[in-house]
Amino acid sequence: MGGCFSDIKGGKQGIGGTPQRPIEEAGGGPNDAVDLFYRSHGLHSLFTPLELSLVGSNLRDRDITSKSDPIAVVFAQKNDGKLEELGRTEVLLNTLNPVWINKITVAYQFEMVQKIIFHLYDVDTKYHNIPVKTLNLKDQDFLGEASCFLSEIVTKQSRSLTLNLHSKNRPGVSTNLGTLTVHAEETVASRSVVDVVFRCSKLENKELFSKSDPFLRISRIIESGGSVPICKTEVVDNNLNPIWKRLSLSMHQFGSKDNPLIIECFDFNSSGNHVLMGKLQKSVAQLEQLHKEKTGANFVLPSSNRAQEKVLKGQLFVDHFNEKKQFSFLDYISSGYELNFMVAVDFTGSNGDPRRPDSLHYIDPYGRLNSYQQAIREVGEVIQFYDSDKHFPAWGFGGRKPDGTVSHCFNLSGIETEFEVAGVEGIMAAYASALHNVSLAGPTLFGQVVDRAAQIASQSLSHHGNKYFVLLIITDGVLTDLQETKEALVKASDLPLSVLIVGVGNADFSQMEILDADKGIRLESSTGRVATRDIVQFVPMREVQRGQISVVQALLEELPGQFLSHVRSRDLKPCNFGGAQTFA
Amino acid sequence: MSKFYSSISISSRTIEITVLSAENLKSNRRSIKKNAFAVVRSNVGNDFRTTVIDTDGGSNPKWNDKLVLDLPVQAPALTVEVHCKTTTGNRLVGTATVPVSDFFGGYVPENYLQFLSYRLRDQRGDSNGIINLSVRTKVPPAPVYSCSAASASSSAATVVGVPLSVGKNIFSGVVTGLPV
C-alpha cells in the first residue's frame, strides 16, 4: 500500500555529478578493459555506449497524503526471457511528472535485437543517503511498465520515444498509467572533471512565514532544442544567500566547455511543486570567467506576457572552480601501470582421486583438458594479455607435499625458492607435475594464499608501486572456513589487490557470492575491522561453458572498478603524467 | 626540582586520522537524524580529538575531518567514538577500537595513506553501523640524544651534551667531554 509520508530528506539531496567519495565503485557501463581485449584480437568495438534519459508524465498517484516518489529501473531482456537490470535512476520526491537526472548506460549493439523493459516504482522506504542500488524493489509500489527495442529509439531523428505505461503482463490493455519518454544519446568518454561551488545572493523570498529553500538545477541543451538535466544541488533551508556543497561535473555530462547550460534556481517545496525563482544560461567557460573575475550573473525570470524577460536582483557566483582530469582504467594501463597476475590451484580431496576419470584433476592421456586445465588456459589467455612480465607466482593449496605435510600455500613449481612460473604454459606444466608430487588432502582454505598475495602487494608499495595485483584462485568449491577467508580478505582490502575466484565443477558456490559482496554488504573480520572495498569477484566456469557469459567479460567485469577505486582514492595519476609520481 | 634529559629515541608517533564518514547509525533502534560527530582517543592519558558536527547527514554523516594525534609508542590501539549532539547533551552512539597493528608495523611503508573501516558497537555491544577512516603515520622526527653529565667515559669519542639545569645551578653552555 502506498505510504503516507515521503522521504523529504531524500528529496533534498544533491543529484548527479560525479561521485565524490573516493572509495565508491567507479565502474558501471561498458567495460573498457573488455573492449581493449577484443579490439586487440581484431574484433572491433561491437557496441556504441548510449545514455538513456527518462521523463515520466501523468503517473499514477500511490501515496495517500502526497504524490508518488518515483524511480525508474531499466532491464534488458535476455534470450531466455529473464530480465537483467541495467541501471536505476534516482528517486524523485513527490511528483507525477518526474524528470530524472541520473542516466542509464546501455551498450547498443546494432546487429542484435535488444529489448529494453522499464519498470517504474513509487519508493516508500527511506532513501536519504542510501545508494539507490540497494533499494529492494519488492518493497516498493509498482507504478507501471513499458518496453521497446533499443533500435526503435536510435532510429528516430529526435532520438526520443514516448511509451504508454501499462500494468505487468497486460501489454495490450491501456490503463491510463501515464507515459514514459526515453531519450538516447551517445556517451562521449572524457577525462575532464570540473569542481564548482555555487553561491547566490539576494534571492527572492517565495514563502510566507520563512525564507525560500533554494536549490539549483543544471541542464544541458540538446540538439532538438529541449534540455536534459544533468545535476542538481542539495537544498539549503531558509536562506536567500545560499552557498551549496561542491558539485563535480564531468565533461561527458556537459559536452564541451562552450556548450550553453541552463541553470535554474528553485524554491524547494515538499509537495513537489518547486517554484522557479530564476534562471540563467552560461557555458562552463563562462562560469570559469565568473570565478576569475569574482563577479556575479543576474538571474532572469522568463515572462509569458511580455517578450522581455525580467532581470532579477538575485545573482549567481562561482566561488570555486577547479578543472581536473579523471583517468580511465586504460589510461593507467597504457601509461605503464603494471598488472601482475598470481594463480592458486585447489588440491583438496573433494576434486576426486586424479587417477579416476571423473576427477576434476584427471589428466587425460588423449589430451582432453580437464576442468582445471581449461580454466587455466581460458583465464590465462586473458591475464597474459594484461600482465606485464608474463611471470606468474603460482601456488597450490590443500595438498600434501612429498614430505608428508599438508600445505595451504605451496609453490606449484615444486621448488621451495621458486614461486614464479613463466607464461600460461609454465602454469600448465607446473600444475601437471604437481599432480605427480602432491597428493590431494584438505581442508579448503584460501586464507594463506590471500595473505601471501597481500604480502607481495604491500611489499611493492615501498618501491613506488605502479603495480596492481590480481590473485586468481581456481577451486572446486566449498570453503571449510569462510571466516578465515574473510579475515584475510578484510586485511587485504586496502591494498592494490583484486581476488578473482574461479569455480570449477558443480558444487554449490553460494558461499562465494557472500565473498563477492555485490549486494553492498561489506566483509567483516572477527576483530571488528570492515573491508575497505570489495576486492573479490567470483566466476563460475560452468556458466562460461554454457555460453551465457564470456570468460573475458566475467573476469574483467569488476577489475577496472576495483583498480580505479584504489588509485582514485589516493589521487594517483598515470605514470608519465606531469612530473613525479607520489604514492599518496 | 632536577630535570634530566634521558637518552630515549622515539616516544610517540604523529598520526593523521581523517574521519571520513559513518554509515547506518541508529539510536534506540531508530536512525539518528542529525548532529553526529566523532571523537578519537589515544587511550593514554586523556588525549582526544573531536571532529566537526554534521548537521544534516542523518544516519550516514560525512565529516572528512582531519585530526592529528600523537600516539605513544606503547599504545596498542585508538578508540573512535561516534556521538550525537542533542538538546539534552551528547549521546554515545557507538565505539570502535582501531588496533595500531592495522596501520603500522606491517609491510606498508610509513607516510602511506591507508583507508580503514570498522564496525561500531553501542554500549550494549550490539552492532551499530560502520565508521570509515583514513590514517597516515607521519615519519617521526630524528631522535635527540643527550648525555646526563660529562661522566668519565673511556671512549675516545667526543661527547656533546645539551644544557641541563641541576638543582639551583644552571649551567649555561654546553658540556663537552674530553677523552681521558
Side-chain angles (χ1 to χ4, degrees):
Chain A
M1 270 295 1
C4 299
F5 303 106
S6 304
D7 187 4
I8 308 248
K9 274 242 141 180
K12 285 185 174 182
Q13 295 174 99
I15 299 284
T18 46
Q20 297 201 26
R21 254 193 76 204
I23 299 286
E24 269 172 27
E25 289 292 304
N31 186 317
D32 50 359
V34 175
D35 202 28
L36 177 65
F37 182 81
Y38 281 131
R39 267 188 281 138
S40 72
H41 285 68
L43 303 162
H44 287 283
S45 201
L46 299 175
F47 57 80
T48 309
L50 289 182
E51 270 188 348
L52 301 179
S53 310
L54 304 174
V55 176
S57 51
N58 293 327
L59 297 183
R60 185 134 64 104
D61 199 348
R62 280 295 217 133
D63 284 350
I64 298 175
T65 53
S66 61
K67 301 199 200 103
S68 304
D69 303 325
I71 186 177
V73 186
V74 183
F75 299 90
Q77 188 167 58
K78 307 250 100 180
N79 296 337
D80 54 5
K82 285 210 198 118
L83 296 181
E84 180 197 321
E85 186 178 321
L86 295 175
R88 310 177 172 189
T89 62
E90 76 278 19
V91 183
L92 283 180
L93 179 68
N94 247 335
T95 169
L96 300 179
N97 294 293
V99 179
W100 286 287
I101 291 175
N102 280 341
K103 319 280 177 244
I104 318 289
T105 314
V106 167
Y108 171 55
Q109 294 167 276
F110 68 92
E111 79 283 11
M112 275 178 50
V113 170
Q114 292 167 284
K115 187 155 187 205
I116 307 286
I117 316 265
F118 303 91
H119 281 181
L120 269 60
Y121 292 91
D122 168 30
V123 175
D124 272 343
T125 52
K126 295 243 172 277
Y127 55 87
H128 180 49
N129 261 340
I130 293 174
V132 162
K133 76 171 182 181
T134 59
L135 286 178
N136 192 343
L137 297 178
K138 295 203 190 84
D139 293 339
Q140 321 303 342
D141 287 329
F142 183 71
L143 285 176
E145 170 184 307
S147 63
C148 69
F149 293 102
L150 208 45
S151 49
E152 285 181 67
I153 311 177
V154 173
T155 48
K156 293 195 84 175
Q157 202 179 28
S158 61
R159 298 279 186 120
S160 288
L161 190 63
T162 302
L163 304 162
N164 284 327
L165 291 166
H166 53 259
S167 51
K168 278 192 197 171
N169 304 324
R170 297 172 71 193
V173 185
S174 72
T175 40
N176 203 12
L177 290 173
T179 62
L180 179 71
T181 303
V182 186
H183 175 78
E185 269 185 305
E186 267 188 54
T187 46
V188 175
S190 139
R191 290 179 187 78
S192 284
V193 172
V194 166
D195 276 347
V196 200
V197 171
F198 285 114
R199 176 174 59 90
C200 281
S201 69
K202 302 200 187 102
L203 290 176
E204 238 180 271
N205 198 353
K206 292 282 183 190
E207 298 190 12
L208 268 182
F209 297 110
S210 62
K211 302 198 195 117
S212 303
D213 306 316
F215 69 94
L216 294 176
R217 186 173 77 174
I218 304 180
S219 309
R220 183 181 78 226
I221 301 179
I222 54 178
E223 272 174 24
S224 57
S227 67
V228 160
I230 53 180
C231 69
K232 72 173 174 100
T233 63
E234 79 281 12
V235 175
V236 174
D237 286 328
N238 220 3
N239 195 329
L240 298 178
N241 296 291
I243 181 165
W244 289 278
K245 291 194 186 139
R246 193 168 59 122
L247 212 53
S248 250
L249 300 170
S250 75
M251 191 172 266
H252 99 257
Q253 288 172 306
F254 56 80
S256 82
K257 281 178 84 171
D258 296 313
N259 264 1
L261 297 177
I262 299 182
I263 303 177
E264 293 161 297
C265 185
F266 291 93
D267 170 32
F268 178 86
N269 255 315
S270 50
S271 68
N273 295 330
H274 312 303
V275 178
L276 179 67
M277 293 201 285
K279 76 184 211 183
L280 51 81
Q281 191 167 304
K282 286 271 174 246
S283 67
V284 172
Q286 288 170 320
L287 291 175
E288 190 176 14
Q289 198 63 21
L290 283 182
H291 169 70
K292 280 204 191 115
E293 294 168 5
K294 300 204 189 310
T295 52
N298 287 69
F299 280 105
V300 295
L301 207 53
S303 182
S304 46
N305 304 341
R306 303 167 267 165
Q308 187 91 4
E309 311 170 311
K310 179 179 166 200
V311 175
L312 303 171
K313 283 211 196 93
Q315 290 196 312
L316 177 74
F317 292 88
V318 180
D319 274 359
H320 178 81
F321 185 98
N322 183 27
E323 195 176 336
K324 59 186 190 200
K325 292 215 176 273
Q326 193 170 66
F327 301 97
S328 71
F329 175 69
L330 289 183
D331 287 334
Y332 287 93
I333 301 299
S334 55
S335 77
Y337 248 88
E338 292 174 21
L339 286 184
N340 284 287
F341 283 86
M342 306 177 273
V343 183
V345 179
D346 184 324
F347 277 81
T348 59
S350 47
N351 289 294
D353 184 344
R355 289 165 296 188
R356 294 170 50 104
D358 60 355
S359 164
L360 289 167
H361 280 307
Y362 178 65
I363 306 276
D364 185 4
Y366 295 103
R368 198 181 77 95
L369 300 180
N370 67 27
S371 296
Y372 280 90
Q373 287 169 317
Q374 276 183 42
I376 293 173
R377 177 140 286 157
E378 286 192 51
V379 162
E381 199 189 53
V382 176
I383 66 182
Q384 190 157 248
F385 175 75
Y386 276 105
D387 188 279
S388 41
D389 63 2
K390 323 275 184 250
H391 276 77
F392 309 115
W395 303 292
F397 59 93
R400 177 165 291 133
K401 297 195 295 186
D403 63 8
T405 55
V406 173
S407 168
H408 294 287
C409 184
F410 59 88
N411 295 339
L412 207 60
S413 64
I415 306 166
E416 281 300 315
T417 48
E418 281 298 315
F419 62 89
E420 286 189 337
V421 298
V424 176
E425 289 314 310
I427 306 177
M428 296 287 262
Y431 165 71
S433 80
L435 277 176
H436 286 123
N437 300 326
V438 175
S439 56
L440 305 187
T444 312
L445 298 170
F446 293 164
Q448 285 192 30
V449 172
V450 173
D451 279 340
R452 182 82 181 92
Q455 182 188 36
I456 296 180
S458 58
Q459 278 170 332
S460 86
L461 291 173
S462 320
H463 306 118
H464 294 282
N466 293 339
K467 293 186 195 226
Y468 191 85
F469 295 84
V470 183
L471 171 65
L472 267 159
I473 303 180
I474 312 181
T475 177
D476 75 318
V478 187
L479 275 177
T480 310
D481 191 342
L482 188 60
Q483 190 58 39
E484 186 231 24
T485 311
K486 283 190 193 175
E487 309 277 328
L489 288 171
V490 170
K491 264 180 31 191
S493 62
D494 191 39
L495 294 172
L497 175 68
S498 284
V499 179
L500 267 45
I501 306 177
V502 179
V504 296
N506 292 319
D508 170 17
F509 290 117
S510 45
Q511 277 179 324
M512 302 302 170
E513 321 243 312
I514 300 179
L515 295 177
D516 182 358
D518 274 347
K519 295 222 175 61
I521 301 178
R522 293 155 77 176
L523 297 178
E524 208 166 311
S525 79
S526 55
T527 58
R529 185 170 161 198
V530 171
T532 305
R533 66 198 228 280
D534 169 22
I535 62 171
V536 179
Q537 179 168 347
F538 172 62
V539 179
M541 277 312 272
R542 63 167 174 259
E543 272 180 37
V544 170
Q545 280 147 359
R546 283 189 208 142
Q548 283 170 343
I549 47 177
S550 75
V551 170
V552 182
Q553 184 76 44
L555 275 182
L556 300 182
E557 191 178 319
E558 289 181 35
L559 183 58
Q562 290 173 356
F563 174 89
L564 288 172
S565 74
H566 175 78
V567 293
R568 283 186 186 157
S569 65
R570 292 176 168 77
D571 210 21
L572 295 173
K573 306 214 182 335
C575 296
N576 47 17
F577 206 82
Q581 171 81 293
T582 48
F583 59 103
Chain B
M1 187 174 85
S2 61
K3 197 168 158 189
F4 291 89
Y5 287 105
S6 51
S7 57
I8 40 168
S9 48
I10 314 165
S11 62
S12 70
R13 296 183 197 101
T14 310
I15 317 272
E16 268 181 17
I17 304 183
T18 306
V19 187
L20 297 167
S21 63
E23 294 169 30
N24 228 352
L25 301 175
K26 289 188 175 20
S27 183
N28 292 336
R29 301 214 193 106
R30 277 181 294 184
S31 301
I32 66 171
K33 300 255 179 1
K34 56 181 181 170
N35 290 344
F37 64 96
V39 176
V40 177
R41 295 183 194 280
S42 72
N43 294 333
V44 175
N46 200 18
D47 201 13
F48 66 92
R49 303 278 182 277
T50 311
T51 64
V52 296
I53 299 180
D54 184 347
T55 48
D56 65 351
S59 62
N60 294 295
K62 291 183 180 21
W63 299 287
N64 283 319
D65 201 355
K66 191 192 297 197
L67 307 172
V68 182
L69 199 56
D70 277 332
L71 198 61
V73 166
Q74 67 270 31
L78 292 166
T79 305
V80 181
E81 299 163 354
V82 176
H83 296 261
C84 185
K85 182 172 163 170
T86 62
T87 42
T88 50
N90 293 339
R91 194 162 43 196
L92 177 62
V93 173
T95 313
T97 307
V98 179
V100 170
S101 56
D102 275 0
F103 57 85
F104 188 82
Y107 294 108
V108 176
E110 282 169 342
N111 260 326
Y112 186 76
L113 184 64
Q114 298 179 70
F115 290 87
L116 303 167
S117 297
Y118 291 88
R119 164 69 56 201
L120 290 163
R121 291 195 179 269
D122 64 17
Q123 278 157 323
R124 283 185 307 188
D126 295 330
S127 88
N128 190 6
I130 291 177
I131 184 142
N132 300 309
L133 318 161
S134 71
V135 182
R136 191 204 296 264
T137 318
K138 290 297 227 186
V139 178
V144 175
Y145 284 94
S146 62
C147 63
S148 51
S151 48
S153 158
S154 52
S155 101
T158 309
V159 179
V160 177
V162 290
L164 311 163
S165 54
V166 180
K168 294 195 190 119
N169 300 326
I170 298 172
F171 292 83
S172 59
V174 173
V175 180
T176 312
L178 297 170
V180 171

